[in-house]
Amino acid sequence: MRAKAREAAKAAPRGEPTPPREPGEGRQKTRQGVVVSDKADKTITVQIDVARRHRRYEKVVRSSTTFHAHDEKNDAHIGDTVIIRESRPLSRLKRWRLVEVVERAK
């Protein structure tokens, strides 16, 4: 029975191989936050605040996360609202890069 199954598998026409995965632009995550530090060269620290409602108690729970992002032109400064996009690891902490400065600090 095994021999018959092997012969049938060899005789069956094979489909096209799976194409390689292409790096798509739509895959990276984007976040909007406020710059809290720009002291390092070509690096900004972005704080992202999230407010969500607790599933059971319905109370608004606020949390924040900080990300280190690559700023090639040292364009963003403290207080600016920016959009960052996920990228390959650039250093030990930097996994994001600056896309644009949405609003300048006053």
Side-chain angles (χ1 to χ4, degrees):
M1 292 176 80
R2 288 183 184 168
K4 288 182 183 179
R6 282 190 203 131
E7 289 176 20
K10 287 180 183 177
R14 293 195 171 221
E16 293 182 21
T18 306
R21 191 181 73 129
E22 297 178 17
E25 185 61 31
R27 298 181 196 272
Q28 297 96 356
K29 297 175 186 170
T30 58
R31 300 279 186 264
Q32 181 172 338
V34 178
V35 178
V36 292
S37 174
D38 63 347
K39 292 180 182 176
D41 186 33
K42 296 186 178 181
T43 302
I44 55 174
T45 304
V46 181
Q47 183 173 13
I48 296 171
D49 298 320
V50 178
R52 58 181 178 80
R53 200 166 280 284
H54 192 279
R55 278 192 216 142
R56 175 180 240 169
Y57 301 116
E58 299 296 320
K59 180 178 178 179
V60 175
V61 179
R62 297 178 191 279
S63 62
S64 63
T65 311
T66 57
F67 295 109
H68 294 270
H70 183 69
D71 181 9
E72 183 65 35
K73 300 174 187 173
N74 287 323
D75 190 27
H77 301 289
I78 294 176
D80 293 351
T81 302
V82 295
I83 294 178
I84 58 175
R85 178 169 289 144
E86 204 172 28
S87 70
R88 65 183 175 83
L90 300 168
S91 71
R92 184 169 68 97
L93 296 174
K94 286 201 302 192
R95 269 92 171 117
W96 298 80
R97 58 189 160 86
L98 177 67
V99 175
E100 68 173 304
V101 178
V102 177
E103 185 179 340
R104 300 277 180 189
K106 295 179 181 179

Tab-separated table of all heavy atoms in Angstrom, residues 32-92:
chain	number	residue	atom	x	y	z
A	32	GLN	N	1.495	57.070	17.094
A	32	GLN	CA	1.604	58.519	17.238
A	32	GLN	C	1.824	58.818	18.700
A	32	GLN	O	1.124	58.277	19.559
A	32	GLN	CB	0.340	59.206	16.734
A	32	GLN	CG	0.416	60.715	16.839
A	32	GLN	CD	-0.755	61.387	16.162
A	32	GLN	OE1	-1.393	60.805	15.297
A	32	GLN	NE2	-1.037	62.602	16.565
A	33	GLY	N	2.792	59.666	18.996
A	33	GLY	CA	3.094	59.982	20.383
A	33	GLY	C	3.804	61.318	20.500
A	33	GLY	O	3.965	62.050	19.524
A	34	VAL	N	4.254	61.611	21.718
A	34	VAL	CA	4.894	62.886	22.033
A	34	VAL	C	6.355	62.626	22.382
A	34	VAL	O	6.671	61.693	23.122
A	34	VAL	CB	4.181	63.578	23.208
A	34	VAL	CG1	4.863	64.881	23.572
A	34	VAL	CG2	2.719	63.811	22.878
A	35	VAL	N	7.245	63.453	21.858
A	35	VAL	CA	8.666	63.317	22.131
A	35	VAL	C	8.942	63.794	23.556
A	35	VAL	O	8.582	64.909	23.925
A	35	VAL	CB	9.504	64.133	21.120
A	35	VAL	CG1	10.981	64.036	21.446
A	35	VAL	CG2	9.235	63.673	19.713
A	36	VAL	N	9.560	62.928	24.362
A	36	VAL	CA	9.885	63.296	25.745
A	36	VAL	C	11.382	63.529	25.927
A	36	VAL	O	11.800	64.113	26.927
A	36	VAL	CB	9.380	62.238	26.751
A	36	VAL	CG1	7.866	62.232	26.795
A	36	VAL	CG2	9.913	60.865	26.437
A	37	SER	N	12.203	63.086	24.972
A	37	SER	CA	13.638	63.329	25.059
A	37	SER	C	14.244	63.341	23.665
A	37	SER	O	13.889	62.524	22.817
A	37	SER	CB	14.312	62.244	25.901
A	37	SER	OG	15.709	62.402	25.875
A	38	ASP	N	15.167	64.297	23.442
A	38	ASP	CA	15.907	64.342	22.182
A	38	ASP	C	17.391	64.584	22.450
A	38	ASP	O	18.107	65.101	21.610
A	38	ASP	CB	15.348	65.422	21.254
A	38	ASP	CG	15.491	66.818	21.827
A	38	ASP	OD1	15.787	66.941	23.032
A	38	ASP	OD2	15.324	67.789	21.073
A	39	LYS	N	17.858	64.159	23.614
A	39	LYS	CA	19.231	64.432	24.008
A	39	LYS	C	20.250	63.629	23.209
A	39	LYS	O	21.333	64.109	22.916
A	39	LYS	CB	19.416	64.141	25.503
A	39	LYS	CG	18.649	65.117	26.369
A	39	LYS	CD	18.847	64.799	27.824
A	39	LYS	CE	18.039	65.766	28.672
A	39	LYS	NZ	18.128	65.436	30.094
A	40	ALA	N	19.920	62.392	22.873
A	40	ALA	CA	20.869	61.560	22.124
A	40	ALA	C	20.922	61.999	20.665
A	40	ALA	O	19.957	62.533	20.123
A	40	ALA	CB	20.460	60.097	22.223
A	41	ASP	N	22.063	61.752	20.028
A	41	ASP	CA	22.231	62.116	18.629
A	41	ASP	C	21.456	61.142	17.740
A	41	ASP	O	21.625	59.928	17.844
A	41	ASP	CB	23.712	62.081	18.263
A	41	ASP	CG	23.973	62.585	16.857
A	41	ASP	OD1	23.239	63.489	16.418
A	41	ASP	OD2	24.896	62.065	16.214
A	42	LYS	N	20.594	61.668	16.874
A	42	LYS	CA	19.785	60.904	15.924
A	42	LYS	C	18.830	59.918	16.600
A	42	LYS	O	18.423	58.939	15.999
A	42	LYS	CB	20.677	60.156	14.929
A	42	LYS	CG	21.495	61.089	14.050
A	42	LYS	CD	22.237	60.322	13.011
A	42	LYS	CE	23.011	61.269	12.116
A	42	LYS	NZ	23.728	60.563	11.068
A	43	THR	N	18.476	60.180	17.853
A	43	THR	CA	17.542	59.319	18.572
A	43	THR	C	16.568	60.180	19.355
A	43	THR	O	16.965	61.162	19.975
A	43	THR	CB	18.294	58.386	19.547
A	43	THR	OG1	19.234	57.610	18.818
A	43	THR	CG2	17.333	57.450	20.255
A	44	ILE	N	15.295	59.801	19.313
A	44	ILE	CA	14.280	60.467	20.138
A	44	ILE	C	13.572	59.407	20.964
A	44	ILE	O	13.497	58.251	20.580
A	44	ILE	CB	13.249	61.248	19.284
A	44	ILE	CG1	12.589	60.332	18.247
A	44	ILE	CG2	13.882	62.458	18.643
A	44	ILE	CD1	11.473	60.979	17.467
A	45	THR	N	13.081	59.831	22.121
A	45	THR	CA	12.268	58.960	22.960
A	45	THR	C	10.836	59.449	22.856
A	45	THR	O	10.559	60.620	23.118
A	45	THR	CB	12.743	58.998	24.421
A	45	THR	OG1	14.123	58.650	24.457
A	45	THR	CG2	11.962	58.023	25.271
A	46	VAL	N	9.950	58.563	22.448
A	46	VAL	CA	8.548	58.917	22.193
A	46	VAL	C	7.670	58.209	23.220
A	46	VAL	O	7.786	56.996	23.404
A	46	VAL	CB	8.125	58.510	20.771
A	46	VAL	CG1	6.686	58.890	20.505
A	46	VAL	CG2	9.045	59.141	19.748
A	47	GLN	N	6.805	58.976	23.877
A	47	GLN	CA	5.866	58.401	24.839
A	47	GLN	C	4.500	58.299	24.175
A	47	GLN	O	4.000	59.272	23.606
A	47	GLN	CB	5.771	59.258	26.090
A	47	GLN	CG	4.862	58.672	27.142
A	47	GLN	CD	4.913	59.458	28.435
A	47	GLN	OE1	5.431	60.560	28.476
A	47	GLN	NE2	4.382	58.887	29.475
A	48	ILE	N	3.917	57.111	24.270
A	48	ILE	CA	2.608	56.863	23.676
A	48	ILE	C	1.636	56.533	24.797
A	48	ILE	O	1.840	55.575	25.544
A	48	ILE	CB	2.689	55.719	22.651
A	48	ILE	CG1	3.599	56.176	21.519
A	48	ILE	CG2	1.314	55.344	22.142
A	48	ILE	CD1	3.962	55.127	20.543
A	49	ASP	N	0.598	57.350	24.934
A	49	ASP	CA	-0.408	57.168	25.972
A	49	ASP	C	-1.609	56.432	25.391
A	49	ASP	O	-2.078	56.760	24.307
A	49	ASP	CB	-0.858	58.512	26.534
A	49	ASP	CG	0.290	59.256	27.198
A	49	ASP	OD1	1.095	58.598	27.885
A	49	ASP	OD2	0.389	60.485	27.012
A	50	VAL	N	-2.105	55.452	26.148
A	50	VAL	CA	-3.261	54.666	25.715
A	50	VAL	C	-4.304	54.716	26.823
A	50	VAL	O	-3.988	54.483	27.988
A	50	VAL	CB	-2.861	53.194	25.435
A	50	VAL	CG1	-4.079	52.385	25.048
A	50	VAL	CG2	-1.804	53.127	24.367
A	51	ALA	N	-5.533	55.046	26.459
A	51	ALA	CA	-6.646	55.017	27.406
A	51	ALA	C	-7.660	54.010	26.872
A	51	ALA	O	-8.144	54.137	25.759
A	51	ALA	CB	-7.284	56.398	27.530
A	52	ARG	N	-7.943	53.005	27.673
A	52	ARG	CA	-8.907	51.989	27.259
A	52	ARG	C	-9.816	51.664	28.428
A	52	ARG	O	-9.487	51.927	29.572
A	52	ARG	CB	-8.199	50.727	26.771
A	52	ARG	CG	-7.281	50.110	27.788
A	52	ARG	CD	-6.579	48.886	27.252
A	52	ARG	NE	-5.676	48.337	28.238
A	52	ARG	CZ	-6.033	47.572	29.253
A	52	ARG	NH1	-7.293	47.256	29.430
A	52	ARG	NH2	-5.149	47.126	30.123
A	53	ARG	N	-10.954	51.077	28.136
A	53	ARG	CA	-11.931	50.751	29.157
A	53	ARG	C	-11.720	49.320	29.628
A	53	ARG	O	-11.561	48.411	28.827
A	53	ARG	CB	-13.334	50.926	28.586
A	53	ARG	CG	-14.393	51.085	29.642
A	53	ARG	CD	-15.693	51.582	29.059
A	53	ARG	NE	-15.730	53.008	28.818
A	53	ARG	CZ	-15.872	53.919	29.769
A	53	ARG	NH1	-15.945	53.578	31.019
A	53	ARG	NH2	-15.943	55.195	29.463
A	54	HIS	N	-11.712	49.114	30.946
A	54	HIS	CA	-11.532	47.786	31.521
A	54	HIS	C	-12.726	46.910	31.150
A	54	HIS	O	-13.880	47.356	31.198
A	54	HIS	CB	-11.393	47.887	33.043
A	54	HIS	CG	-10.925	46.624	33.685
A	54	HIS	ND1	-11.764	45.572	33.959
A	54	HIS	CD2	-9.698	46.244	34.093
A	54	HIS	CE1	-11.076	44.601	34.522
A	54	HIS	NE2	-9.813	44.981	34.617
A	55	ARG	N	-12.456	45.656	30.787
A	55	ARG	CA	-13.528	44.776	30.310
A	55	ARG	C	-14.604	44.551	31.351
A	55	ARG	O	-15.784	44.614	31.063
A	55	ARG	CB	-12.942	43.421	29.931
A	55	ARG	CG	-12.340	43.394	28.575
A	55	ARG	CD	-12.062	41.964	28.170
A	55	ARG	NE	-10.836	41.939	27.391
A	55	ARG	CZ	-9.929	40.996	27.454
A	55	ARG	NH1	-10.082	39.977	28.275
A	55	ARG	NH2	-8.863	41.044	26.696
A	56	ARG	N	-14.209	44.276	32.568
A	56	ARG	CA	-15.189	43.918	33.597
A	56	ARG	C	-15.720	45.129	34.345
A	56	ARG	O	-16.921	45.281	34.534
A	56	ARG	CB	-14.557	42.942	34.584
A	56	ARG	CG	-15.468	42.602	35.744
A	56	ARG	CD	-14.809	41.644	36.677
A	56	ARG	NE	-15.600	40.426	36.752
A	56	ARG	CZ	-15.198	39.320	37.314
A	56	ARG	NH1	-13.983	39.244	37.810
A	56	ARG	NH2	-15.973	38.282	37.382
A	57	TYR	N	-14.820	46.010	34.768
A	57	TYR	CA	-15.225	47.108	35.654
A	57	TYR	C	-15.571	48.398	34.927
A	57	TYR	O	-16.020	49.353	35.547
A	57	TYR	CB	-14.121	47.356	36.683
A	57	TYR	CG	-13.841	46.128	37.501
A	57	TYR	CD1	-12.613	45.500	37.437
A	57	TYR	CD2	-14.820	45.569	38.312
A	57	TYR	CE1	-12.350	44.358	38.168
A	57	TYR	CE2	-14.573	44.431	39.046
A	57	TYR	CZ	-13.341	43.832	38.967
A	57	TYR	OH	-13.092	42.704	39.688
A	58	GLU	N	-15.340	48.429	33.623
A	58	GLU	CA	-15.709	49.577	32.787
A	58	GLU	C	-15.009	50.874	33.184
A	58	GLU	O	-15.424	51.950	32.788
A	58	GLU	CB	-17.233	49.803	32.804
A	58	GLU	CG	-18.046	48.647	32.262
A	58	GLU	CD	-17.776	48.383	30.798
A	58	GLU	OE1	-17.636	49.338	30.033
A	58	GLU	OE2	-17.706	47.197	30.429
A	59	LYS	N	-13.957	50.776	33.972
A	59	LYS	CA	-13.209	51.971	34.358
A	59	LYS	C	-12.166	52.267	33.278
A	59	LYS	O	-11.613	51.352	32.668
A	59	LYS	CB	-12.501	51.730	35.691
A	59	LYS	CG	-11.696	52.903	36.171
A	59	LYS	CD	-11.057	52.624	37.509
A	59	LYS	CE	-10.228	53.827	37.921
A	59	LYS	NZ	-9.602	53.636	39.212
A	60	VAL	N	-11.897	53.539	33.027
A	60	VAL	CA	-10.892	53.919	32.044
A	60	VAL	C	-9.514	53.694	32.654
A	60	VAL	O	-9.182	54.252	33.697
A	60	VAL	CB	-11.059	55.394	31.618
A	60	VAL	CG1	-9.921	55.804	30.693
A	60	VAL	CG2	-12.389	55.596	30.936
A	61	VAL	N	-8.734	52.848	32.003
A	61	VAL	CA	-7.388	52.526	32.458
A	61	VAL	C	-6.410	53.205	31.517
A	61	VAL	O	-6.454	52.999	30.310
A	61	VAL	CB	-7.157	51.002	32.462
A	61	VAL	CG1	-5.747	50.680	32.918
A	61	VAL	CG2	-8.179	50.306	33.322
A	62	ARG	N	-5.513	54.010	32.079
A	62	ARG	CA	-4.527	54.725	31.270
A	62	ARG	C	-3.162	54.092	31.462
A	62	ARG	O	-2.778	53.773	32.579
A	62	ARG	CB	-4.460	56.194	31.667
A	62	ARG	CG	-5.757	56.922	31.422
A	62	ARG	CD	-5.692	58.364	31.877
A	62	ARG	NE	-7.005	58.962	31.869
A	62	ARG	CZ	-7.600	59.445	30.807
A	62	ARG	NH1	-6.979	59.402	29.640
A	62	ARG	NH2	-8.795	59.969	30.880
A	63	SER	N	-2.459	53.910	30.362
A	63	SER	CA	-1.101	53.392	30.436
A	63	SER	C	-0.255	54.100	29.383
A	63	SER	O	-0.786	54.674	28.426
A	63	SER	CB	-1.082	51.878	30.202
A	63	SER	OG	-1.550	51.583	28.916
A	64	SER	N	1.038	54.080	29.575
A	64	SER	CA	1.926	54.721	28.607
A	64	SER	C	3.127	53.824	28.355
A	64	SER	O	3.529	53.033	29.208
A	64	SER	CB	2.385	56.085	29.104
A	64	SER	OG	3.149	55.935	30.279
A	65	THR	N	3.667	53.949	27.168
A	65	THR	CA	4.830	53.181	26.750
A	65	THR	C	5.814	54.138	26.097
A	65	THR	O	5.404	55.081	25.417
A	65	THR	CB	4.431	52.104	25.724
A	65	THR	OG1	3.311	51.388	26.209
A	65	THR	CG2	5.565	51.147	25.472
A	66	THR	N	7.098	53.904	26.304
A	66	THR	CA	8.112	54.730	25.642
A	66	THR	C	8.857	53.894	24.624
A	66	THR	O	9.165	52.727	24.868
A	66	THR	CB	9.112	55.328	26.646
A	66	THR	OG1	9.714	54.277	27.381
A	66	THR	CG2	8.417	56.291	27.592
A	67	PHE	N	9.123	54.494	23.475
A	67	PHE	CA	9.870	53.861	22.400
A	67	PHE	C	11.032	54.762	22.031
A	67	PHE	O	10.913	55.989	22.061
A	67	PHE	CB	8.999	53.660	21.153
A	67	PHE	CG	7.867	52.702	21.341
A	67	PHE	CD1	6.566	53.155	21.398
A	67	PHE	CD2	8.100	51.346	21.444
A	67	PHE	CE1	5.511	52.279	21.565
A	67	PHE	CE2	7.052	50.452	21.608
A	67	PHE	CZ	5.755	50.927	21.667
A	68	HIS	N	12.144	54.153	21.638
A	68	HIS	CA	13.270	54.896	21.093
A	68	HIS	C	13.180	54.809	19.583
A	68	HIS	O	13.042	53.715	19.026
A	68	HIS	CB	14.594	54.307	21.581
A	68	HIS	CG	14.797	54.462	23.047
A	68	HIS	ND1	15.417	55.553	23.605
A	68	HIS	CD2	14.433	53.681	24.086
A	68	HIS	CE1	15.440	55.426	24.906
A	68	HIS	NE2	14.837	54.287	25.234
A	69	ALA	N	13.240	55.955	18.927
A	69	ALA	CA	13.079	55.997	17.475
A	69	ALA	C	14.267	56.703	16.831
A	69	ALA	O	14.869	57.607	17.425
A	69	ALA	CB	11.784	56.725	17.104
A	70	HIS	N	14.581	56.295	15.620
A	70	HIS	CA	15.696	56.873	14.860
A	70	HIS	C	15.230	58.143	14.157
A	70	HIS	O	14.249	58.130	13.415
A	70	HIS	CB	16.202	55.855	13.843
A	70	HIS	CG	17.390	56.328	13.080
A	70	HIS	ND1	18.624	56.496	13.660
A	70	HIS	CD2	17.540	56.667	11.777
A	70	HIS	CE1	19.480	56.921	12.749
A	70	HIS	NE2	18.845	57.036	11.597
A	71	ASP	N	15.936	59.236	14.411
A	71	ASP	CA	15.631	60.539	13.807
A	71	ASP	C	16.880	60.983	13.056
A	71	ASP	O	17.778	61.601	13.633
A	71	ASP	CB	15.244	61.527	14.905
A	71	ASP	CG	14.897	62.896	14.368
A	71	ASP	OD1	14.779	63.049	13.145
A	71	ASP	OD2	14.735	63.819	15.182
A	72	GLU	N	16.956	60.655	11.784
A	72	GLU	CA	18.177	60.866	10.997
A	72	GLU	C	18.618	62.320	10.959
A	72	GLU	O	19.801	62.627	11.041
A	72	GLU	CB	17.954	60.342	9.574
A	72	GLU	CG	19.166	60.428	8.674
A	72	GLU	CD	20.319	59.546	9.118
A	72	GLU	OE1	20.066	58.448	9.644
A	72	GLU	OE2	21.476	59.961	8.940
A	73	LYS	N	17.688	63.264	10.842
A	73	LYS	CA	18.032	64.673	10.667
A	73	LYS	C	17.952	65.476	11.962
A	73	LYS	O	18.060	66.698	11.926
A	73	LYS	CB	17.093	65.302	9.638
A	73	LYS	CG	17.175	64.643	8.275
A	73	LYS	CD	16.132	65.203	7.342
A	73	LYS	CE	16.099	64.440	6.043
A	73	LYS	NZ	14.982	64.850	5.195
A	74	ASN	N	17.751	64.807	13.099
A	74	ASN	CA	17.544	65.500	14.381
A	74	ASN	C	16.457	66.559	14.238
A	74	ASN	O	16.599	67.705	14.664
A	74	ASN	CB	18.853	66.125	14.890
A	74	ASN	CG	19.802	65.078	15.392
A	74	ASN	OD1	19.402	64.086	15.987
A	74	ASN	ND2	21.089	65.276	15.147
A	75	ASP	N	15.358	66.175	13.628
A	75	ASP	CA	14.275	67.087	13.281
A	75	ASP	C	13.303	67.310	14.441
A	75	ASP	O	12.785	68.407	14.624
A	75	ASP	CB	13.518	66.511	12.073
A	75	ASP	CG	12.537	67.491	11.484
A	75	ASP	OD1	12.765	68.708	11.618
A	75	ASP	OD2	11.544	67.040	10.890
A	76	ALA	N	13.020	66.285	15.231
A	76	ALA	CA	12.020	66.375	16.294
A	76	ALA	C	12.659	66.858	17.597
A	76	ALA	O	13.823	66.567	17.889
A	76	ALA	CB	11.363	65.019	16.513
A	77	HIS	N	11.868	67.606	18.375
A	77	HIS	CA	12.327	68.124	19.662
A	77	HIS	C	11.289	67.829	20.730
A	77	HIS	O	10.173	67.400	20.431
A	77	HIS	CB	12.599	69.630	19.556
A	77	HIS	CG	13.641	69.953	18.522
A	77	HIS	ND1	14.978	69.667	18.692
A	77	HIS	CD2	13.531	70.512	17.294
A	77	HIS	CE1	15.646	70.048	17.622
A	77	HIS	NE2	14.786	70.561	16.744
A	78	ILE	N	11.645	68.093	21.984
A	78	ILE	CA	10.764	67.779	23.111
A	78	ILE	C	9.415	68.478	22.940
A	78	ILE	O	9.354	69.667	22.631
A	78	ILE	CB	11.422	68.187	24.439
A	78	ILE	CG1	12.662	67.323	24.679
A	78	ILE	CG2	10.460	68.025	25.597
A	78	ILE	CD1	13.440	67.686	25.903
A	79	GLY	N	8.346	67.720	23.139
A	79	GLY	CA	6.997	68.268	23.050
A	79	GLY	C	6.344	68.112	21.697
A	79	GLY	O	5.140	68.327	21.561
A	80	ASP	N	7.101	67.753	20.673
A	80	ASP	CA	6.534	67.566	19.333
A	80	ASP	C	5.685	66.297	19.295
A	80	ASP	O	6.014	65.300	19.925
A	80	ASP	CB	7.630	67.438	18.276
A	80	ASP	CG	8.416	68.725	18.075
A	80	ASP	OD1	7.998	69.760	18.621
A	80	ASP	OD2	9.439	68.678	17.375
A	81	THR	N	4.596	66.352	18.542
A	81	THR	CA	3.797	65.161	18.282
A	81	THR	C	4.304	64.547	16.984
A	81	THR	O	4.391	65.233	15.960
A	81	THR	CB	2.307	65.517	18.148
A	81	THR	OG1	1.894	66.167	19.354
A	81	THR	CG2	1.462	64.281	17.943
A	82	VAL	N	4.655	63.256	17.037
A	82	VAL	CA	5.292	62.609	15.893
A	82	VAL	C	4.608	61.290	15.567
A	82	VAL	O	3.897	60.718	16.387
A	82	VAL	CB	6.791	62.350	16.155
A	82	VAL	CG1	7.554	63.640	16.299
A	82	VAL	CG2	6.991	61.453	17.352
A	83	ILE	N	4.845	60.808	14.348
A	83	ILE	CA	4.415	59.481	13.937
A	83	ILE	C	5.682	58.664	13.733
A	83	ILE	O	6.613	59.105	13.044
A	83	ILE	CB	3.588	59.530	12.646
A	83	ILE	CG1	2.278	60.256	12.902
A	83	ILE	CG2	3.334	58.124	12.114
A	83	ILE	CD1	1.403	60.412	11.682
A	84	ILE	N	5.720	57.473	14.352
A	84	ILE	CA	6.865	56.577	14.206
A	84	ILE	C	6.396	55.266	13.589
A	84	ILE	O	5.228	54.892	13.715
A	84	ILE	CB	7.583	56.332	15.551
A	84	ILE	CG1	6.627	55.755	16.594
A	84	ILE	CG2	8.233	57.589	16.047
A	84	ILE	CD1	7.302	55.379	17.898
A	85	ARG	N	7.300	54.587	12.893
A	85	ARG	CA	6.977	53.326	12.232
A	85	ARG	C	7.990	52.262	12.652
A	85	ARG	O	9.168	52.554	12.818
A	85	ARG	CB	7.003	53.499	10.719
A	85	ARG	CG	6.716	52.200	9.988
A	85	ARG	CD	6.475	52.404	8.525
A	85	ARG	NE	5.190	53.054	8.341
A	85	ARG	CZ	4.931	53.950	7.400
A	85	ARG	NH1	5.850	54.314	6.567
A	85	ARG	NH2	3.738	54.484	7.298
A	86	GLU	N	7.499	51.058	12.799
A	86	GLU	CA	8.347	49.934	13.183
A	86	GLU	C	9.395	49.677	12.101
A	86	GLU	O	9.124	49.847	10.915
A	86	GLU	CB	7.450	48.710	13.324
A	86	GLU	CG	7.957	47.640	14.203
A	86	GLU	CD	6.913	46.565	14.421
A	86	GLU	OE1	6.058	46.349	13.557
A	86	GLU	OE2	6.972	45.937	15.478
A	87	SER	N	10.598	49.259	12.519
A	87	SER	CA	11.648	48.951	11.554
A	87	SER	C	12.529	47.843	12.102
A	87	SER	O	12.273	47.305	13.185
A	87	SER	CB	12.494	50.198	11.265
A	87	SER	OG	13.264	50.528	12.396
A	88	ARG	N	13.551	47.514	11.368
A	88	ARG	CA	14.491	46.502	11.838
A	88	ARG	C	15.246	47.047	13.049
A	88	ARG	O	15.292	48.267	13.247
A	88	ARG	CB	15.468	46.138	10.728
A	88	ARG	CG	16.371	47.291	10.322
A	88	ARG	CD	17.273	46.883	9.173
A	88	ARG	NE	18.055	48.000	8.705
A	88	ARG	CZ	19.189	48.415	9.257
A	88	ARG	NH1	19.668	47.823	10.329
A	88	ARG	NH2	19.837	49.452	8.749
A	89	PRO	N	15.843	46.193	13.862
A	89	PRO	CA	16.604	46.689	15.007
A	89	PRO	C	17.779	47.561	14.551
A	89	PRO	O	18.595	47.151	13.742
A	89	PRO	CB	17.108	45.418	15.686
A	89	PRO	CG	16.174	44.363	15.266
A	89	PRO	CD	15.729	44.733	13.886
A	90	LEU	N	17.831	48.779	15.068
A	90	LEU	CA	18.899	49.712	14.717
A	90	LEU	C	19.955	49.788	15.809
A	90	LEU	O	21.091	50.165	15.543
A	90	LEU	CB	18.303	51.098	14.453
A	90	LEU	CG	17.280	51.149	13.324
A	90	LEU	CD1	16.546	52.458	13.329
A	90	LEU	CD2	17.967	50.915	11.996
A	91	SER	N	19.589	49.462	17.031
A	91	SER	CA	20.523	49.380	18.148
A	91	SER	C	19.860	48.523	19.219
A	91	SER	O	18.836	47.888	18.961
A	91	SER	CB	20.864	50.773	18.688
A	91	SER	OG	19.751	51.311	19.363
A	92	ARG	N	20.415	48.545	20.431
A	92	ARG	CA	19.865	47.681	21.478
A	92	ARG	C	18.422	48.046	21.804
A	92	ARG	O	17.598	47.172	22.066
A	92	ARG	CB	20.716	47.804	22.740
A	92	ARG	CG	20.286	46.885	23.849
A	92	ARG	CD	21.295	46.841	24.950
A	92	ARG	NE	21.374	48.093	25.671
A	92	ARG	CZ	20.733	48.345	26.811
A	92	ARG	NH1	19.950	47.442	27.340
A	92	ARG	NH2	20.873	49.506	27.409
